Amino acid sequence: MTEEQERRPEAPAEADGTTGLFVALGKQLRLLRERAGLTQKEFGQLVSYGPDQISAMERGVRTPQPEFLDKADEVLDAGGLLKEVIPEIKEAMAKARTRHPEWYRGYAALEEQASALHVYTNQLVPGLLQTDGYAGAVFAQWRPLLSEEADESVLLRPVGGREVHAAQLQNLLRIGSLRTVELQVMPMERAEQPSMDGPFNLLTVRKGEQVAYVEIHTYPRLVTDPEEVGVLGERYGLLRAQALRPSESLDLIERLRGRL
């Protein structure tokens, strides 16, 4: 594993040179907050953000959204100082690479070009399958991965409460009915399965080659070694064989939704 693959995600825009903007803005934000006599927690409550999110923005490792800057300017009585940089923030966000943190960009670029995506997850509903309400609840705690195949435990976990959970199951039914998607559920009754140690993504890229992506406790790794990718590919095949068929999976999701 290279240093780049092992590195903890900390920089949102190193590759396009906008890191300095976020660092400088973060310093201004911290000084304004301290001048107002607010802790990160107190300030976060006033702008509907958690203290960890405030800390990340003050350190320049999280992109402050224009809506946040607009509200923060008023809460901190900044006199337009924070609002003034909103155009620059929007310009930075519009750049292709600022949509993803630096540590994720290599995978994101491959995902954009991939002809097939196979993913296994056993923690949360995958990112591209999430409803807005579910995603909001997840981001308040941390983040998930994208998947086409999920354990039944993912479906039983009521992230965001009953209404959010029901809407998420309905969204899975909608997406699972698409011709280009095969959604399979690994039932809880399976005594064991070949990937108990966590989720992973498999991408089919140019000329049919495959790469893999794993992320555990926010430590990302893009796997390109053919032997390692082959092991994960074999593991994914076993997962599909042991999981419910797509039609059975949708029936299970429908039954779970009906119980809410």
Side-chain angles (χ1 to χ4, degrees), residues 1-2 4-6 103-108 110 201 203 211-215 219-225 228-229:
M1 186 186 301
T2 66
E4 178 69 21
Q5 291 168 326
E6 288 182 316
W103 55 271
Y104 186 74
R105 289 177 188 145
Y107 170 78
L110 290 174
N201 297 14
L203 290 178
V211 298
Y213 176 82
V214 297
E215 182 182 317
Y219 285 90
R221 185 185 179 206
L222 183 63
V223 183
T224 58
D225 179 73
E228 290 187 72
V229 175

Side-chain angles (χ1 to χ4, degrees), residues 116-192:
L117 172 62
H118 306 282
V119 189
Y120 164 75
T121 187
N122 57 2
Q123 299 297 323
L124 295 167
V125 171
L128 290 184
L129 305 185
Q130 292 176 5
T131 61
D132 290 343
Y134 190 98
V138 168
F139 274 109
Q141 302 171 53
W142 204 228
R143 57 177 301 181
L145 298 174
L146 172 65
S147 168
E148 291 177 352
E149 182 170 319
D151 282 35
E152 185 179 349
S153 60
V154 172
L155 306 177
L156 295 175
R157 188 171 293 120
V159 173
R162 180 180 179 279
E163 291 186 4
V164 171
H165 188 202
Q168 181 59 71
L169 292 179
Q170 182 61 43
N171 193 55
L172 289 177
L173 288 171
R174 179 184 66 83
I175 295 176
S177 299
L178 298 176
R179 292 191 303 169
T180 55
V181 175
E182 288 191 353
L183 184 70
Q184 292 182 258
V185 176
M186 181 71 72
M188 295 286 288
E189 65 189 29
R190 296 288 191 266
E192 57 186 35

Side-chain angles (χ1 to χ4, degrees), residues 9 21 39 45 52 57 60 67 79-80 82 91 121-122 128 149 154 186 193 201 212 214 220-221 231:
L21 170 64
T39 65
Q45 291 174 339
D52 290 343
M57 284 187 281
E67 297 80 7
L82 297 178
E91 181 180 353
T121 187
N122 57 2
L128 290 184
E149 182 170 319
V154 172
M186 181 71 72
Q193 45 101 332
N201 297 14
V214 297
R221 185 185 179 206
V231 170

